[in-house]
Amino acid sequence: MKLFLTLFIFLDFCYQMILYKIVDDWRKKPLPIEVSDIYDEKRYQTFIDYKNDNRKLSLISKVISLVIDLMIIYSNFFLMIEKCVGNHPYLLVIVTSMILLAVNMIVSYFVDYHRTFVIDEKYGKNKKDLKEFHKDFFLDLILEIPLTIVIYSFMTFVCETIGHYTDIHMISYLVSFLLCVGILSIFMFIIVFFSFMSYLTLKKQYTFIEMEDNDLRRKIESMMDGCKKKVSKIQIYNESKKTNR
């Protein structure tokens, strides 16, 4: 099992590095002549430098995450958790996922802090102060904690219930299919519900206003002509209050 997890982690890491190399090679190419009249070389080079700094930070973050994952796999981490909480499957899954989430959040905090107050500051893009940064960070955390608990608890419930049921009953292909459809439907509901929660979190971070009647709005409305789903509101928020990205 450890070997399989290690292989999976390294394959994922290699895939990310391949994507990194592809993007890096493309960004070394000169500015296309077709856009040279509207996007000058100096501005383009600044954009490339900014993206490169961010990608270096992302690379460091991925290496740190890789090291942490390997340390967890090859240590007695899971055994220690089991000794502390016992064999209760739900408690075991929730405690484990919360500890892993906390570790991930610590790494994310320092990465986001460096991106906001070092890289964005360097290129004149940041407008956040520490208070605003912490507010946004913890609002995201408040959303992610219940999402993690719900998804992992549901997965545990499915494994426990189906495992117990199949031990004492034979199930047909039709029942198996209906179970898969039911599980997929519940997952879709969870995703939609937390997408809505994400929208509420966004409303806590920004002030939404109705889009004014201008040329852009009229173009959007013309694109919606003939759509079965009618849109009653087109709301906007001002991202530039926090960043110039």
Side-chain angles (χ1 to χ4, degrees):
M1 187 63 179
K2 288 182 179 181
L3 183 61
F4 172 77
L5 288 173
T6 304
L7 180 63
F8 179 80
I9 289 171
F10 269 107
L11 285 175
D12 178 64
F13 182 78
C14 291
Y15 173 71
Q16 296 294 333
M17 293 304 100
I18 291 170
L19 291 181
Y20 180 91
K21 183 68 170 61
I22 292 172
V23 172
D24 189 55
D25 288 344
W26 272 97
R27 284 183 175 160
K28 288 178 180 177
K29 295 183 178 183
L31 182 69
I33 193 169
E34 291 84 358
V35 296
S36 59
D37 58 332
I38 57 172
Y39 203 67
D40 64 83
E41 263 188 62
K42 184 178 179 182
R43 182 184 173 197
Y44 182 65
Q45 188 57 51
T46 302
F47 165 78
I48 295 297
D49 292 341
Y50 174 70
K51 287 296 183 180
N52 285 340
D53 283 353
N54 272 287
R55 292 193 73 78
K56 287 175 186 176
L57 180 63
S58 296
L59 178 60
I60 293 170
S61 172
K62 291 182 189 303
V63 171
I64 293 173
S65 296
L66 175 67
V67 172
I68 291 173
D69 288 341
L70 292 176
M71 286 174 61
I72 289 172
I73 290 172
Y74 288 96
S75 68
N76 292 324
F77 171 76
F78 295 106
L79 184 62
M80 290 168 57
I81 298 298
E82 189 174 352
K83 285 182 178 179
C84 291
V85 303
N87 292 320
H88 193 285
Y90 293 98
L91 190 59
L92 190 64
V93 167
I94 290 172
V95 171
T96 303
S97 61
M98 287 298 100
I99 292 175
L100 294 177
L101 179 63
V103 172
N104 180 64
M105 280 297 171
I106 292 171
V107 175
S108 297
Y109 176 85
F110 288 105
V111 170
D112 291 347
Y113 183 93
H114 186 85
R115 179 179 290 115
T116 302
F117 295 106
V118 177
I119 297 177
D120 282 4
E121 284 285 346
K122 176 182 175 182
Y123 293 92
K125 295 182 180 295
N126 179 47
K127 289 188 177 180
K128 287 184 182 180
D129 56 17
L130 271 174
K131 181 180 178 181
E132 192 75 21
F133 173 80
H134 286 123
K135 177 186 173 184
D136 291 347
F137 183 84
F138 286 110
L139 277 173
D140 290 338
L141 182 61
I142 289 169
L143 178 67
E144 191 161 353
I145 288 174
L147 176 62
T148 302
I149 292 174
V150 169
I151 289 179
Y152 279 98
S153 297
F154 174 68
M155 290 172 64
T156 305
F157 170 76
V158 170
C159 293
E160 287 284 308
T161 304
I162 292 179
H164 177 72
Y165 186 83
T166 53
D167 282 343
I168 57 178
H169 297 91
M170 292 291 291
I171 59 174
S172 65
Y173 289 114
L174 177 61
V175 174
S176 300
F177 174 75
L178 292 175
L179 278 172
C180 291
V181 171
I183 293 168
L184 182 61
S185 299
I186 295 172
F187 265 115
M188 290 299 295
F189 172 78
I190 292 172
I191 291 170
V192 171
F193 174 75
F194 279 98
S195 296
F196 175 71
M197 292 298 294
S198 179
Y199 170 70
L200 294 181
T201 303
L202 202 61
K203 292 200 73 167
K204 290 290 184 183
Q205 295 175 327
Y206 298 97
T207 300
F208 282 73
I209 59 172
E210 188 68 17
M211 189 176 188
E212 60 186 6
D213 187 13
N214 54 22
D215 186 52
L216 177 59
R217 183 179 181 115
R218 286 189 289 273
K219 286 180 179 179
I220 294 172
E221 289 172 341
S222 68
M223 290 174 66
M224 294 188 297
D225 287 344
C227 293
K228 293 181 179 179
K229 176 66 177 177
K230 300 302 178 184
V231 177
S232 59
K233 294 181 181 179
I234 303 176
Q235 294 183 322
I236 59 174
Y237 63 89
N238 189 358
E239 176 72 15
S240 62
K241 287 183 176 180
K242 296 186 179 184
T243 178
N244 287 330
R245 277 189 246 167

